[in-house]
Amino acid sequence: MIYSEDTWKQWLSDNENFSDPRDSKRYIHFDHPFAVKQIGKLQSIFIRGNGLKNHDFLPLIKFVIKTPRYKYQENMEKYDLETKERPISFASHFDSKIYAYYAHALNKKYQDYIVSKGFSEVVLAYRSDLDGKSNIQFAKEAFDTVKARGQCTALALDIKGYFDSIDHTILKDQWSTILGGRLSEDDYAVYKSLTRYNYVNRISLLKHFSLKIRGKNAKHISSFSQVLQGKTFSEKMQSVRDARLITKNSSYDLLPDGKKRFFGVPQGSSLSALLSNIYLLKFDEDMWQMGKIMNFSYRRYCDDILIICNSDDASEIQKNVIDKISKEYHLIIQDKKVDIIKFANNSKGQIRAFNEKKRIEESIPSIDHTNEQRLYKALQYLGFEFTGQKVLIRGTSLSRYMRKMRARIVKSVGMAYGSSGSNDRVFKQQLLKRYTHLGNNNFLKYAYNASLKTYKVKKGTKKGFDSPAIRNQLSRHFDIILKSLALKNDKRFNFKKNNPKNRGLVAKKVHNRKLKK
């Protein structure tokens, strides 16, 4: 049974925000935000027999997150902007709490299993038993492995559309393995709700009911049920069905024997991340065993796989991994998503990282002083780069952060000088806390910690890279944000000052021209 009193109490302890209604998630779904008074109802579903079996999971609401990324395009041999699309499906407020508790309880069983089998070190993502380690420590361990080996090769593989490709039958078998037997009726209810799930496209929902919930003239609602037709909640949901807005996940392939192979789980629920670990349970164990035999290091962070091995074995290992994961788990690793980084001596006798994939594709016999410059390519892993000599923050990560920073500056200055602004004041302190190391929880603070030999966390200290190269990358950031802020502020001030409609207003506020905290 997935429920126990101790597990429930631990979960409540880890989610103390339940006691503060202001901290409840405010996204709009078919039901209202979760309330503290519903905790008893939630617990009773797990305590009573077949509580989940008889629970009606509401349709997920699906939308697509589009993330612009400025990165090097190998086929064009230049940097260019591309857009990464990621479908996200989020559960109703009450259902999300069911998934959250179930994920907490199932994750404990998963972690106990991989520890008992001895391969807990290979899985890095979505775990609670890693002693507070972050990507800094995971990347450091990988780079230290390369340093210890000296001349070696790193294979970085990326699984294409991982969540959308998860085979339902394999997932069920691995899930049963974790629980030590076949799924109970309650377990099966959760499994079914995240495999043969129903969803509603958010754009279609808003369009059908002529709703606008963002920006000017938006309708302020806490639940879609407020605008759906019908007196009871059941009737309201029926109106959504009648409008044919509900879609059932029925992605499948036809097998040689004519049977259907169903696949795909939604990305975004509290449980989906854990399922991505459970699905490759046997694969992770097999790779760990193979690593002991062939002397290579294997690590997986969700859909990112890293293998560090002897250079002579790299080609064979790569083929074995790709064959195994495609034939046994129906997952695809695109060739363009494979990086082969060879660590070898350059003409100066230094260990450097080289693009072995490019060398092979261009039929270059060997690396020497005539070609080493164009074959240099750092190993990229979990947001960091390793050249063989130094560790850096990944360039695309810094670029993305700078774009967000500049966009926020434009927005802040625009709000200060806009028609609705009460005075020409830019709250500089808020920007500095969000986008510089002065803040306690932002990217720059994280990057700065990574550059140190050790840094403080809530419970003790953690090791960083002790990297002067990272500190050099960050050295001008504070000046850049101040100059960008001052430049944008002056432009908006002068525009407002020179606009005839605003001359009297600006004259009264000219003393506010300088940035104020």
Side-chain angles (χ1 to χ4, degrees):
M1 188 175 182
I2 205 72
Y3 176 85
S4 74
E5 194 69 28
D6 289 342
T7 305
W8 176 262
K9 289 180 179 179
Q10 182 61 54
W11 181 66
L12 286 181
S13 175
D14 293 342
N15 294 272
E16 294 177 350
N17 288 342
F18 281 173
S19 61
D20 187 350
R22 295 172 300 176
D23 290 328
S24 180
K25 292 184 178 180
R26 295 296 172 183
Y27 62 85
I28 302 175
H29 213 287
F30 293 118
D31 64 344
H32 290 281
F34 188 84
V36 176
K37 63 183 180 181
Q38 293 177 287
I39 291 178
K41 177 184 176 182
L42 179 66
Q43 185 181 20
S44 68
I45 287 178
F46 290 102
I47 292 176
R48 70 173 187 262
N50 297 330
L52 288 171
K53 175 190 173 183
N54 298 319
H55 176 73
D56 291 326
F57 288 91
L58 292 177
L60 308 173
I61 292 183
K62 187 175 185 178
F63 63 101
V64 177
I65 293 179
K66 297 182 179 181
T67 307
R69 302 188 302 175
Y70 191 70
K71 61 182 296 187
Y72 188 77
Q73 309 296 327
E74 294 281 357
N75 57 329
M76 301 168 61
E77 294 189 345
K78 68 175 185 178
Y79 282 91
D80 198 10
L81 194 66
E82 68 175 23
T83 300
K84 180 179 181 180
E85 295 187 350
R86 188 160 59 103
I88 298 295
S89 302
F90 55 104
S92 69
H93 294 281
F94 192 84
D95 290 349
S96 70
K97 294 299 183 290
I98 291 177
Y99 291 138
Y101 170 74
Y102 196 95
H104 172 83
L106 186 61
N107 192 43
K108 187 177 186 306
K109 292 182 179 295
Y110 166 77
Q111 291 171 169
D112 289 344
Y113 180 89
I114 62 176
V115 168
S116 69
K117 294 294 183 179
F119 65 97
S120 63
E121 65 186 31
V122 308
V123 185
L124 307 179
Y126 313 131
R127 292 174 55 189
S128 59
D129 62 343
L130 294 170
D131 191 31
K133 288 183 179 179
S134 70
N135 286 1
I136 296 173
Q137 285 75 52
F138 298 145
K140 177 176 169 55
E141 289 171 2
F143 300 159
D144 285 347
T145 299
V146 172
K147 291 177 183 178
R149 282 179 173 263
Q151 299 193 42
C152 60
T153 294
L155 302 172
L157 315 173
D158 182 84
I159 302 171
K160 179 184 177 182
Y162 184 23
F163 289 87
D164 294 333
S165 304
I166 289 178
D167 181 282
H168 293 173
T169 301
I170 296 174
L171 175 63
K172 183 182 176 184
D173 290 343
Q174 307 288 42
W175 196 326
S176 299
T177 299
I178 295 299
L179 295 178
R182 62 182 298 176
L183 301 185
S184 69
E185 290 183 320
D186 274 5
D187 297 326
Y188 185 77
V190 177
Y191 159 80
K192 187 177 179 181
S193 74
L194 289 173
T195 51
R196 305 301 298 275
Y197 60 92
N198 296 319
Y199 68 90
V200 175
N201 184 286
R202 185 170 65 174
I203 294 177
S204 299
L205 181 67
L206 296 176
K207 185 177 180 180
H208 182 83
F209 291 100
S210 301
L211 292 175
K212 186 177 181 182
I213 58 176
R214 296 284 188 275
K216 192 175 182 181
N217 301 321
K219 188 174 184 65
H220 298 290
I221 57 175
S222 60
S223 164
F224 285 121
S225 64
Q226 294 176 241
V227 295
L228 298 179
Q229 300 171 353
K231 294 182 180 179
T232 66
F233 186 78
S234 178
E235 290 176 351
K236 291 174 183 290
M237 291 307 300
Q238 186 60 45
S239 71
V240 179
R241 298 186 189 93
D242 293 342
R244 296 185 177 180
L245 293 173
I246 299 178
T247 303
K248 189 178 188 66
N249 174 47
S250 56
S251 302
Y252 68 88
D253 287 333
L254 282 177
L255 299 173
D257 59 3
K259 293 182 179 180
K260 294 179 179 179
R261 182 185 72 83
F262 291 94
F263 55 87
V265 298
Q267 187 173 357
S269 80
S270 305
L271 190 52
S272 298
L274 173 59
L275 297 186
S276 72
N277 277 348
I278 290 176
Y279 182 70
L280 288 178
L281 180 73
K282 188 65 170 61
F283 177 81
D284 291 332
E285 185 174 8
D286 289 346
M287 292 305 301
W288 172 69
Q289 293 285 5
M290 190 187 301
K292 291 196 296 183
I293 296 170
M294 297 189 67
N295 188 29
F296 66 77
S297 171
Y298 164 80
R299 295 290 185 273
R300 182 175 65 82
Y301 192 102
C302 189
D303 56 0
D304 289 327
I305 294 172
L306 179 69
I307 293 171
I308 301 170
C309 61
N310 296 328
S311 295
D312 292 342
D313 299 329
S315 180
E316 180 185 355
I317 292 171
Q318 178 185 342
K319 183 180 183 304
N320 289 342
V321 172
I322 294 177
D323 285 350
K324 186 177 185 64
I325 206 167
S326 62
K327 292 177 182 178
E328 298 182 22
Y329 298 90
H330 310 288
L331 300 176
I332 297 174
I333 293 178
Q334 298 181 92
D335 183 64
K336 69 176 184 178
K337 292 286 189 178
V338 175
D339 269 347
I340 308 173
I341 306 299
K342 184 175 182 178
F343 291 88
N345 289 329
N346 64 6
S347 58
K348 296 181 180 179
Q350 299 174 324
I351 290 287
R352 290 295 302 270
F354 295 94
N355 190 341
E356 180 68 1
K357 183 179 180 181
K358 183 176 182 179
R359 185 194 69 79
I360 295 171
E361 290 174 346
E362 297 184 7
S363 301
I364 299 173
S366 61
I367 301 169
D368 57 36
H369 69 282
T370 64
N371 56 38
E372 63 183 12
Q373 288 294 330
R374 69 189 185 94
L375 289 177
Y376 281 144
K377 183 178 182 180
L379 170 62
Q380 297 184 351
Y381 188 56
L382 301 181
F384 298 95
E385 297 180 349
F386 182 49
T387 69
Q389 293 294 308
K390 57 186 178 182
V391 178
L392 299 157
I393 296 291
R394 190 173 179 177
T396 52
S397 298
L398 278 177
S399 297
R400 182 165 57 250
Y401 191 74
M402 293 293 283
R403 285 199 303 273
K404 289 182 179 180
M405 179 195 76
R406 290 192 171 101
R408 184 64 195 183
I409 288 174
V410 170
K411 183 176 181 179
S412 296
V413 174
M415 290 171 61
Y417 288 98
S419 58
S420 60
S422 58
N423 56 51
D424 296 349
R425 170 177 288 186
V426 178
F427 292 92
K428 183 173 68 173
Q429 198 65 25
Q430 293 179 2
L431 286 169
L432 297 182
K433 285 185 177 181
R434 181 176 293 186
Y435 292 101
T436 75
H437 63 282
L438 297 179
N440 291 322
N441 189 22
N442 61 41
F443 177 79
L444 254 293
K445 186 68 174 182
Y446 170 81
Y448 180 73
N449 286 341
S451 74
L452 303 175
K453 186 173 182 178
T454 60
Y455 61 93
K456 292 182 179 180
V457 293
K458 288 183 178 180
K459 296 181 180 180
T461 60
K462 295 294 179 186
K463 290 183 179 180
F465 293 104
D466 191 16
S467 172
I470 293 179
R471 290 193 286 274
N472 186 55
Q473 284 180 292
L474 306 177
S475 62
R476 294 185 60 250
H477 183 81
F478 199 78
D479 288 339
I480 289 172
I481 188 172
L482 292 180
K483 288 178 181 178
S484 298
L485 185 55
L487 179 63
K488 182 59 64 175
N489 178 71
D490 287 345
K491 283 183 178 180
R492 289 302 297 263
F493 177 83
N494 289 328
F495 173 80
K496 190 169 183 177
K497 179 180 179 182
N498 295 327
N499 189 331
K501 295 181 180 180
N502 297 322
R503 282 177 182 169
L505 179 65
V506 173
K508 293 180 182 179
K509 297 182 178 180
V510 69
H511 63 281
N512 284 326
R513 178 177 179 181
K514 293 184 178 180
L515 300 175
K516 296 183 178 181
K517 294 183 179 181

